[in-house]
Amino acid sequence: MTRPLLAPAARPAASGAVGRAWAQARRIERACLVLAAVLAASGLFHLAVLAVDGGPWEGPVSWRKPATFGLSFGLTLAAVARVSAPLRLGVRLRTVLLGVLAADSLVEVGGITLQAWRRVSSHVDMETPFDSAVSMTLAVGGAVLVGVLSALAVPALRGRADAPPDMRLALRAGFASLLVGLVSGAVMIARGVVLVRAGHQQEAYHAVGFLKPVHGVALHGVLVLPALARLLAAAGWDTARRTRAVAAASAGYGVLLAAALGLSLLG
């Protein structure tokens, strides 16, 4: 008798949300996720450098800057790459916007990291021609970030997304929070530039970060709120219940932003 043929072993499917997200992502989204991981790893590395080398946490010259900027840009790039998928944008336009965002994120973190290793300030440092060039590159890069992320925010704020109501609300609130973060960052850089041009270079170093609390909190609403919507969907909550929960979380995040703004202005 012939023995029955054994069925070939099934290939292990990608397990978990990370595997599913990777399998469903477009090429540009995968590139953004890879770069986001590199930037976040750089941030963690510089936290280790800070722990070993020491030095101040605050101030214009600190290992904190490449650490926090690497982590922040990594998380933001990964979040925007993922949440941009349901937005009603042309494929080519989304690819261009994400590509520019990825390149700009690399330039920003790279410039900040370079200056940290040179032990000089990365922002509003006009003391030498090279430092001026780095500072201006970072400032232009910040303007590019505002333009790209604003273009992505428009369909989110208008509710133009192929997603259930709770996710549309999370995208709207998340991108609104992100815009607050971008505006606060632009205001800090503008204040520093004004002080430098008035001849107050040292004062500019310390004054440029006066909105850091609200800036840091606002940038990550686009990560936190859509992630909450996904978690509630994975937990099996129905649409109405998820929408109420996301609405409450969005309101709470708004209160947190207001508190961070108050802390920034009173600090």
Side-chain angles (χ1 to χ4, degrees), residues 9-208:
R11 294 182 179 178
S15 58
V18 174
R20 288 194 298 273
W22 183 262
Q24 296 168 0
R26 296 181 175 90
R27 182 180 299 177
I28 183 61
E29 293 165 3
R30 292 181 182 181
C32 288
L33 293 174
V34 170
L35 179 57
V38 171
L39 297 179
S42 173
L44 292 173
F45 171 75
H46 285 94
L47 278 179
V49 172
L50 175 63
V52 173
D53 187 56
W57 176 260
E58 294 294 338
V61 180
S62 168
W63 293 117
R64 164 192 58 82
K65 296 187 76 173
T68 55
F69 274 82
L71 287 168
S72 183
F73 268 89
L75 290 172
T76 301
L77 178 59
V80 171
R82 291 298 301 140
V83 302
S84 69
L87 299 179
R88 292 176 191 161
L89 289 167
V91 174
R92 182 175 298 179
L93 177 58
R94 180 187 285 110
T95 300
V96 169
L97 290 174
L98 289 180
V100 173
L101 175 61
D104 201 23
S105 298
L106 181 60
V107 169
E108 292 286 304
V109 176
I112 290 161
T113 302
L114 170 66
Q115 295 298 73
W117 282 96
R118 294 182 65 238
R119 309 307 292 155
V120 297
S121 176
S122 54
H123 291 92
V124 298
D125 184 349
M126 307 297 181
E127 296 193 32
T128 70
F130 182 82
D131 294 328
S132 296
V134 173
S135 293
M136 290 306 299
T137 299
L138 294 176
V140 171
V144 172
L145 282 176
V146 172
V148 169
L149 292 172
S150 296
L152 289 168
V154 169
L157 295 176
R158 296 177 63 186
R160 298 185 60 191
D162 296 320
D166 59 305
M167 181 56 78
R168 289 202 301 271
L169 176 58
L171 291 173
R172 183 181 289 116
F175 271 99
S177 173
L178 179 61
L179 292 178
V180 171
L182 294 173
V183 170
S184 60
V187 169
M188 287 190 288
I189 296 299
R191 183 183 186 188
V193 170
V194 168
L195 287 171
V196 169
R197 290 181 175 175
H200 306 299
Q201 179 69 71
Q202 295 302 316
E203 184 181 346
Y205 287 147
H206 298 283
V208 71

